[in-house]
Amino acid sequence: MLRPPEGFEPYPAISPFMTLLGPLWARQEAEGGISVGLWIQNRHLNHQQAVHGGMVASLADNAMGYQAARACGGSVATVHLCVDYMARVMQGSWLEVCSRIDRRGKKLLFSACTGMVDQQPVFRASAVFAAIGR
């Protein structure tokens, strides 16, 4: 198994669905941010031999949702997710998703992330999360 870049630790899947994407790795960033990464494998590809857009959306949603849940101190649900695909991601690439919180209200949290390969942006995403169970 390929090792991630320095500073990344195993990121346990929080659902059976996320197990399908892994193994995932995470690194805590300044100000409570998180970066989630993985090595792109054949199972992540679409019929054009590039990463499937749904896989990218799932990874972005997970990274932002994890950070949102930590910021809220409990569970969150995705209210809105938007992904802009900027470049193809190929097998063998290290895909790293860096998320941030843009605004936190009483019930909603606004987040964004950027997906990077070789320090180049390949997608960006934004999401709105709602605190649940409160």
Side-chain angles (χ1 to χ4, degrees):
M1 172 174 30
L2 294 172
R3 296 291 303 161
E6 189 173 329
F8 281 84
E9 300 292 332
Y11 179 66
I14 59 172
S15 70
F17 175 75
M18 290 309 294
T19 301
L20 299 172
L21 298 183
L24 299 174
W25 306 86
R27 178 178 64 204
Q28 294 300 314
E29 304 292 353
E31 300 177 18
I34 186 171
S35 291
V36 176
L38 79 159
W39 290 103
I40 300 302
Q41 301 173 31
N42 184 60
R43 61 194 166 105
H44 300 126
L45 306 181
N46 62 20
H47 68 284
Q48 297 172 349
Q49 298 305 302
V51 168
H52 192 285
M55 199 287 293
V56 166
S58 294
L59 188 61
D61 185 48
N62 181 266
M64 291 184 290
Y66 175 84
Q67 188 176 4
R70 286 187 53 165
C72 289
S75 297
V76 296
T78 307
V79 174
H80 175 78
L81 175 67
C82 177
V83 182
D84 298 316
Y85 303 95
M86 300 160 63
R88 293 166 51 103
V89 179
M90 308 309 286
Q91 185 173 345
S93 299
W94 170 256
L95 175 59
E96 189 171 316
V97 180
C98 303
S99 69
R100 69 177 192 274
I101 295 172
D102 290 333
R103 183 170 183 275
R104 182 176 168 198
K106 291 186 187 248
K107 295 187 181 188
L108 297 178
L109 189 139
F110 298 80
S111 183
C113 70
T114 303
M116 309 284 281
V117 171
D118 296 327
Q119 299 180 355
Q120 297 297 312
V122 294
F123 75 87
R124 63 184 176 200
S126 61
V128 179
F129 296 93
I132 57 175
R134 295 192 171 87

